[in-house]
Amino acid sequence: MVESVPSNAAEDEPDRPEDDKESRASSDASSASSAPGDSSSSGAGEGDTRSAKRNKQRSFWKELPILIVVALVLAFLIQQFVARVYMIPSGSMEKTLHGCPGCTPDRILVDKVTYHFTDPAPGDVVVFRGPDAWVEDDPPSESSDNPIASFFQNIGSVFGLAPPDERDFVKRIIATGGQTVECCDDRNRVMVDGKPLDEPYIYWQGGKAEQREFGPVKVPENTVWVMGDNRNNSSDSRFQGGGGERGAVPVENIIGKARLIVLPPSRWAVVSDHNPQEASEQNAALSAPAWQQGLPLAAGALAAWPTLFVSRKIGSGVRRWVSRRRGRER
């Protein structure tokens, strides 16, 4: 039997025909001509590389305007329907939000989605469009007559680089539709439905911790009663539209809930949504007589021994059952 010879075993084929040798020689010559050191081959490769780079650069500059437009459109859609950055224009929410003269105004991120699923609640800091009663006596908005300047002003407003429409406000919700709000009790606290509020966020500019009296006012349905944290330096539901029910803000005017302070970096923080009504109720519960506050501790002490006794009995029974099972298996 003759075994087949591998085609690459040249040393085992001394009788290869002459034409095969010639073809082999031409193949070797061709390989030599394309060797890495050959200048013509190197030059062609470098030329192809430069051409590819030029095409890539041209492609990038062609795509850049499209990328910019897409980015702006996405940013616009996000700001319109999901969240938007607003600049605080005044000090009415000090010190929760900075907007005081001479300081860097806070930029806040306002969530526009939340109130599609939940109702505005006491303690929420909200941005809203001023109702007609709030803006009826305001001068016209100061916007440039130059269309180009007006365009860039609007763009800056969208991205929080310029003040928003002057008819947008930021305040804290104190009461909601159907509740009765008034001020003040004997400790100078705002009351809702006859119960005093717990408001640790109040800032007394000038140091005079005394609120102006108002009410009682029953907040109309589908509206909210809003006040500034800088309590005596805030034009809010107490005064706007002449006060009373006209000072309430329709829920439909609420743009969104303030979530974060995003600028400047030194002010990064979550915006407090401390509910003054719930906190007041909790504090009232904690103000029970001392002997009543001790009831849970006494009950815990009395129940401790029976609980320990029963748990020991159960543990002992389980161990005996396990021991019997092991004995049977053996």
Side-chain angles (χ1 to χ4, degrees):
M1 179 178 288
V2 180
E3 295 182 358
S4 61
V5 179
S7 60
N8 61 350
E11 65 276 18
D12 295 336
E13 299 179 4
D15 297 327
R16 181 185 296 274
E18 290 297 323
D19 55 347
D20 289 344
K21 293 180 179 180
E22 291 176 1
S23 64
R24 179 181 178 85
S26 64
S27 175
D28 294 340
S30 175
S31 299
S33 66
S34 62
D38 188 88
S39 60
S40 62
S41 174
S42 176
E46 291 177 358
D48 293 343
T49 302
R50 286 195 296 270
S51 177
K53 286 182 178 179
R54 284 196 299 271
N55 291 335
K56 187 174 182 180
Q57 290 174 351
R58 284 197 297 269
S59 176
F60 170 76
W61 290 112
K62 288 179 181 178
E63 292 179 356
L64 182 59
I66 299 174
L67 293 174
I68 293 174
V69 171
V70 170
L72 289 174
V73 170
L74 289 175
F76 175 79
L77 293 175
I78 291 172
Q79 297 259 17
Q80 286 296 112
F81 302 107
V82 180
R84 179 174 175 179
V85 177
Y86 283 82
M87 186 173 74
I88 304 303
S90 72
S92 67
M93 284 296 292
E94 291 284 351
K95 292 185 174 181
T96 302
L97 302 175
H98 279 355
C100 56
C103 68
T104 302
D106 286 343
R107 271 71 169 179
I108 57 173
L109 184 67
V110 175
D111 171 10
K112 293 187 172 185
V113 178
T114 295
Y115 295 136
H116 291 306
F117 304 99
T118 61
D119 295 326
D124 292 354
V125 176
V126 295
V127 171
F128 57 93
R129 294 182 298 276
D132 293 339
W134 285 49
V135 300
E136 59 188 3
D137 297 327
D138 288 359
S141 176
E142 295 182 3
S143 57
S144 175
D145 295 332
N146 186 320
I148 297 177
S150 178
F151 170 78
F152 283 105
Q153 184 178 358
N154 291 334
I155 291 295
S157 173
V158 167
F159 290 95
L161 302 176
D165 188 334
E166 291 181 355
R167 291 169 173 79
D168 290 346
F169 298 83
V170 55
K171 304 290 180 188
R172 189 183 297 272
I173 296 176
I174 300 300
T176 56
Q179 294 186 315
T180 299
V181 58
E182 61 183 310
C183 185
C184 304
D185 68 356
D186 56 358
R187 293 174 57 186
N188 198 237
R189 295 176 296 182
V190 174
M191 295 185 293
V192 173
D193 292 337
K195 298 177 182 178
L197 301 184
D198 176 65
E199 299 187 277
Y201 43 72
I202 289 181
Y203 172 58
W204 304 106
Q205 186 172 6
K208 188 177 180 181
E210 183 177 347
Q211 302 192 71
R212 304 173 189 176
E213 295 184 0
F214 67 89
V217 178
K218 185 171 183 179
V219 183
E221 294 294 338
N222 299 317
T223 68
V224 294
W225 183 272
V226 296
M227 298 173 70
D229 289 358
N230 190 356
R231 191 51 51 87
N232 289 335
N233 191 25
S234 173
S235 182
D236 45 42
S237 292
R238 296 171 294 174
F239 312 109
Q240 293 284 3
E245 293 184 0
R246 283 172 54 85
V249 176
V251 171
E252 63 184 13
N253 281 42
I254 296 177
I255 295 171
K257 179 178 179 178
R259 292 288 189 182
L260 302 169
I261 300 173
V262 294
L263 286 173
S266 60
R267 290 275 299 157
W268 284 345
V270 176
V271 178
S272 165
D273 59 356
H274 174 86
N275 188 328
Q277 296 185 21
E278 289 184 356
S280 176
E281 292 174 359
Q282 292 171 1
N283 290 338
L286 291 175
S287 64
W291 70 269
Q292 294 179 4
Q293 295 181 28
L295 287 177
L297 179 61
L302 291 174
W305 169 248
T307 301
L308 180 61
F309 177 78
V310 172
S311 63
R312 285 179 176 176
K313 288 292 184 181
I314 293 174
S316 177
V318 170
R319 286 193 294 272
R320 286 197 299 271
W321 179 80
V322 171
S323 298
R324 293 195 196 100
R325 293 282 296 180
R326 289 177 178 176
R328 291 173 183 173
E329 290 175 359
R330 292 176 184 173

PDB file of all heavy atoms in Angstrom, residues 265-282:
ATOM      1  N   PRO A 265     -22.466  74.287  42.637  1.00  0.00           N
ATOM      2  CA  PRO A 265     -22.078  73.012  43.268  1.00  0.00           C
ATOM      3  C   PRO A 265     -22.035  73.053  44.792  1.00  0.00           C
ATOM      4  O   PRO A 265     -22.336  72.058  45.446  1.00  0.00           O
ATOM      5  CB  PRO A 265     -20.680  72.748  42.682  1.00  0.00           C
ATOM      6  CG  PRO A 265     -20.682  73.469  41.373  1.00  0.00           C
ATOM      7  CD  PRO A 265     -21.514  74.702  41.589  1.00  0.00           C
ATOM      8  N   SER A 266     -21.683  74.210  45.343  1.00  0.00           N
ATOM      9  CA  SER A 266     -21.606  74.308  46.808  1.00  0.00           C
ATOM     10  C   SER A 266     -22.968  74.181  47.470  1.00  0.00           C
ATOM     11  O   SER A 266     -23.055  73.975  48.684  1.00  0.00           O
ATOM     12  CB  SER A 266     -20.975  75.650  47.199  1.00  0.00           C
ATOM     13  OG  SER A 266     -21.761  76.735  46.705  1.00  0.00           O
ATOM     14  N   ARG A 267     -24.044  74.266  46.672  1.00  0.00           N
ATOM     15  CA  ARG A 267     -25.405  74.215  47.221  1.00  0.00           C
ATOM     16  C   ARG A 267     -26.122  72.914  46.872  1.00  0.00           C
ATOM     17  O   ARG A 267     -27.320  72.792  47.106  1.00  0.00           O
ATOM     18  CB  ARG A 267     -26.207  75.403  46.680  1.00  0.00           C
ATOM     19  CG  ARG A 267     -25.777  76.737  47.222  1.00  0.00           C
ATOM     20  CD  ARG A 267     -26.444  77.026  48.538  1.00  0.00           C
ATOM     21  NE  ARG A 267     -27.889  77.070  48.391  1.00  0.00           N
ATOM     22  CZ  ARG A 267     -28.744  76.869  49.377  1.00  0.00           C
ATOM     23  NH1 ARG A 267     -28.319  76.586  50.591  1.00  0.00           N
ATOM     24  NH2 ARG A 267     -30.056  76.939  49.163  1.00  0.00           N
ATOM     25  N   TRP A 268     -25.433  71.950  46.291  1.00  0.00           N
ATOM     26  CA  TRP A 268     -26.080  70.686  45.921  1.00  0.00           C
ATOM     27  C   TRP A 268     -26.822  70.105  47.124  1.00  0.00           C
ATOM     28  O   TRP A 268     -26.249  69.890  48.195  1.00  0.00           O
ATOM     29  CB  TRP A 268     -25.053  69.676  45.435  1.00  0.00           C
ATOM     30  CG  TRP A 268     -24.563  69.955  44.040  1.00  0.00           C
ATOM     31  CD1 TRP A 268     -25.127  70.788  43.119  1.00  0.00           C
ATOM     32  CD2 TRP A 268     -23.406  69.395  43.410  1.00  0.00           C
ATOM     33  NE1 TRP A 268     -24.401  70.788  41.954  1.00  0.00           N
ATOM     34  CE2 TRP A 268     -23.356  69.947  42.100  1.00  0.00           C
ATOM     35  CE3 TRP A 268     -22.441  68.493  43.818  1.00  0.00           C
ATOM     36  CZ2 TRP A 268     -22.348  69.605  41.198  1.00  0.00           C
ATOM     37  CZ3 TRP A 268     -21.439  68.153  42.920  1.00  0.00           C
ATOM     38  CH2 TRP A 268     -21.395  68.704  41.633  1.00  0.00           C
ATOM     39  N   ALA A 269     -28.107  69.845  46.940  1.00  0.00           N
ATOM     40  CA  ALA A 269     -28.905  69.280  48.031  1.00  0.00           C
ATOM     41  C   ALA A 269     -30.280  68.892  47.503  1.00  0.00           C
ATOM     42  O   ALA A 269     -30.709  69.343  46.435  1.00  0.00           O
ATOM     43  CB  ALA A 269     -29.056  70.295  49.168  1.00  0.00           C
ATOM     44  N   VAL A 270     -30.958  68.047  48.275  1.00  0.00           N
ATOM     45  CA  VAL A 270     -32.354  67.710  47.997  1.00  0.00           C
ATOM     46  C   VAL A 270     -33.233  68.790  48.609  1.00  0.00           C
ATOM     47  O   VAL A 270     -32.991  69.240  49.733  1.00  0.00           O
ATOM     48  CB  VAL A 270     -32.704  66.329  48.590  1.00  0.00           C
ATOM     49  CG1 VAL A 270     -34.188  66.025  48.398  1.00  0.00           C
ATOM     50  CG2 VAL A 270     -31.847  65.246  47.954  1.00  0.00           C
ATOM     51  N   VAL A 271     -34.241  69.234  47.876  1.00  0.00           N
ATOM     52  CA  VAL A 271     -35.160  70.262  48.390  1.00  0.00           C
ATOM     53  C   VAL A 271     -36.121  69.614  49.383  1.00  0.00           C
ATOM     54  O   VAL A 271     -36.806  68.642  49.063  1.00  0.00           O
ATOM     55  CB  VAL A 271     -35.938  70.928  47.241  1.00  0.00           C
ATOM     56  CG1 VAL A 271     -36.911  71.960  47.794  1.00  0.00           C
ATOM     57  CG2 VAL A 271     -34.980  71.583  46.252  1.00  0.00           C
ATOM     58  N   SER A 272     -36.177  70.149  50.584  1.00  0.00           N
ATOM     59  CA  SER A 272     -37.015  69.589  51.646  1.00  0.00           C
ATOM     60  C   SER A 272     -38.492  69.624  51.279  1.00  0.00           C
ATOM     61  O   SER A 272     -38.996  70.629  50.760  1.00  0.00           O
ATOM     62  CB  SER A 272     -36.796  70.368  52.937  1.00  0.00           C
ATOM     63  OG  SER A 272     -37.810  70.085  53.883  1.00  0.00           O
ATOM     64  N   ASP A 273     -39.192  68.508  51.546  1.00  0.00           N
ATOM     65  CA  ASP A 273     -40.655  68.485  51.378  1.00  0.00           C
ATOM     66  C   ASP A 273     -41.324  68.087  52.691  1.00  0.00           C
ATOM     67  O   ASP A 273     -42.307  67.358  52.725  1.00  0.00           O
ATOM     68  CB  ASP A 273     -41.064  67.542  50.245  1.00  0.00           C
ATOM     69  CG  ASP A 273     -40.600  66.111  50.482  1.00  0.00           C
ATOM     70  OD1 ASP A 273     -39.898  65.872  51.491  1.00  0.00           O
ATOM     71  OD2 ASP A 273     -40.930  65.225  49.667  1.00  0.00           O
ATOM     72  N   HIS A 274     -40.755  68.606  53.776  1.00  0.00           N
ATOM     73  CA  HIS A 274     -41.267  68.366  55.132  1.00  0.00           C
ATOM     74  C   HIS A 274     -42.757  68.714  55.204  1.00  0.00           C
ATOM     75  O   HIS A 274     -43.156  69.842  54.916  1.00  0.00           O
ATOM     76  CB  HIS A 274     -40.470  69.214  56.115  1.00  0.00           C
ATOM     77  CG  HIS A 274     -40.987  69.175  57.515  1.00  0.00           C
ATOM     78  ND1 HIS A 274     -40.616  68.199  58.423  1.00  0.00           N
ATOM     79  CD2 HIS A 274     -41.834  70.007  58.184  1.00  0.00           C
ATOM     80  CE1 HIS A 274     -41.220  68.432  59.582  1.00  0.00           C
ATOM     81  NE2 HIS A 274     -41.956  69.518  59.465  1.00  0.00           N
ATOM     82  N   ASN A 275     -43.583  67.728  55.550  1.00  0.00           N
ATOM     83  CA  ASN A 275     -45.028  67.951  55.641  1.00  0.00           C
ATOM     84  C   ASN A 275     -45.361  68.546  57.005  1.00  0.00           C
ATOM     85  O   ASN A 275     -45.295  67.852  58.023  1.00  0.00           O
ATOM     86  CB  ASN A 275     -45.776  66.637  55.435  1.00  0.00           C
ATOM     87  CG  ASN A 275     -47.283  66.836  55.334  1.00  0.00           C
ATOM     88  OD1 ASN A 275     -47.849  67.737  55.951  1.00  0.00           O
ATOM     89  ND2 ASN A 275     -47.949  65.994  54.562  1.00  0.00           N
ATOM     90  N   PRO A 276     -45.743  69.812  57.071  1.00  0.00           N
ATOM     91  CA  PRO A 276     -45.981  70.452  58.376  1.00  0.00           C
ATOM     92  C   PRO A 276     -47.212  69.941  59.089  1.00  0.00           C
ATOM     93  O   PRO A 276     -47.309  70.043  60.310  1.00  0.00           O
ATOM     94  CB  PRO A 276     -46.134  71.934  58.010  1.00  0.00           C
ATOM     95  CG  PRO A 276     -46.640  71.925  56.607  1.00  0.00           C
ATOM     96  CD  PRO A 276     -46.005  70.736  55.950  1.00  0.00           C
ATOM     97  N   GLN A 277     -48.151  69.364  58.331  1.00  0.00           N
ATOM     98  CA  GLN A 277     -49.374  68.864  58.965  1.00  0.00           C
ATOM     99  C   GLN A 277     -49.127  67.516  59.632  1.00  0.00           C
ATOM    100  O   GLN A 277     -49.532  67.304  60.777  1.00  0.00           O
ATOM    101  CB  GLN A 277     -50.488  68.756  57.931  1.00  0.00           C
ATOM    102  CG  GLN A 277     -50.904  70.088  57.333  1.00  0.00           C
ATOM    103  CD  GLN A 277     -52.086  69.972  56.392  1.00  0.00           C
ATOM    104  OE1 GLN A 277     -52.856  69.021  56.448  1.00  0.00           O
ATOM    105  NE2 GLN A 277     -52.228  70.943  55.497  1.00  0.00           N
ATOM    106  N   GLU A 278     -48.457  66.609  58.941  1.00  0.00           N
ATOM    107  CA  GLU A 278     -48.175  65.298  59.541  1.00  0.00           C
ATOM    108  C   GLU A 278     -47.234  65.441  60.723  1.00  0.00           C
ATOM    109  O   GLU A 278     -47.423  64.812  61.758  1.00  0.00           O
ATOM    110  CB  GLU A 278     -47.563  64.364  58.496  1.00  0.00           C
ATOM    111  CG  GLU A 278     -48.548  63.904  57.427  1.00  0.00           C
ATOM    112  CD  GLU A 278     -47.922  62.914  56.480  1.00  0.00           C
ATOM    113  OE1 GLU A 278     -46.705  62.648  56.623  1.00  0.00           O
ATOM    114  OE2 GLU A 278     -48.634  62.409  55.594  1.00  0.00           O
ATOM    115  N   ALA A 279     -46.214  66.276  60.584  1.00  0.00           N
ATOM    116  CA  ALA A 279     -45.261  66.455  61.681  1.00  0.00           C
ATOM    117  C   ALA A 279     -45.953  67.035  62.903  1.00  0.00           C
ATOM    118  O   ALA A 279     -45.653  66.681  64.041  1.00  0.00           O
ATOM    119  CB  ALA A 279     -44.125  67.369  61.231  1.00  0.00           C
ATOM    120  N   SER A 280     -46.912  67.924  62.672  1.00  0.00           N
ATOM    121  CA  SER A 280     -47.648  68.512  63.796  1.00  0.00           C
ATOM    122  C   SER A 280     -48.442  67.452  64.544  1.00  0.00           C
ATOM    123  O   SER A 280     -48.481  67.429  65.775  1.00  0.00           O
ATOM    124  CB  SER A 280     -48.577  69.616  63.277  1.00  0.00           C
ATOM    125  OG  SER A 280     -49.354  70.144  64.313  1.00  0.00           O
ATOM    126  N   GLU A 281     -49.073  66.555  63.797  1.00  0.00           N
ATOM    127  CA  GLU A 281     -49.843  65.484  64.431  1.00  0.00           C
ATOM    128  C   GLU A 281     -48.944  64.551  65.225  1.00  0.00           C
ATOM    129  O   GLU A 281     -49.282  64.098  66.309  1.00  0.00           O
ATOM    130  CB  GLU A 281     -50.613  64.717  63.364  1.00  0.00           C
ATOM    131  CG  GLU A 281     -51.733  65.543  62.714  1.00  0.00           C
ATOM    132  CD  GLU A 281     -52.382  64.805  61.563  1.00  0.00           C
ATOM    133  OE1 GLU A 281     -51.935  63.677  61.285  1.00  0.00           O
ATOM    134  OE2 GLU A 281     -53.324  65.345  60.954  1.00  0.00           O
ATOM    135  N   GLN A 282     -47.751  64.247  64.671  1.00  0.00           N
ATOM    136  CA  GLN A 282     -46.820  63.372  65.382  1.00  0.00           C
ATOM    137  C   GLN A 282     -46.347  64.022  66.671  1.00  0.00           C
ATOM    138  O   GLN A 282     -46.255  63.386  67.716  1.00  0.00           O
ATOM    139  CB  GLN A 282     -45.627  63.049  64.476  1.00  0.00           C
ATOM    140  CG  GLN A 282     -45.998  62.180  63.284  1.00  0.00           C
ATOM    141  CD  GLN A 282     -44.862  62.049  62.301  1.00  0.00           C
ATOM    142  OE1 GLN A 282     -43.780  62.607  62.519  1.00  0.00           O
ATOM    143  NE2 GLN A 282     -45.091  61.341  61.216  1.00  0.00           N
TER     144      GLN A 282
END
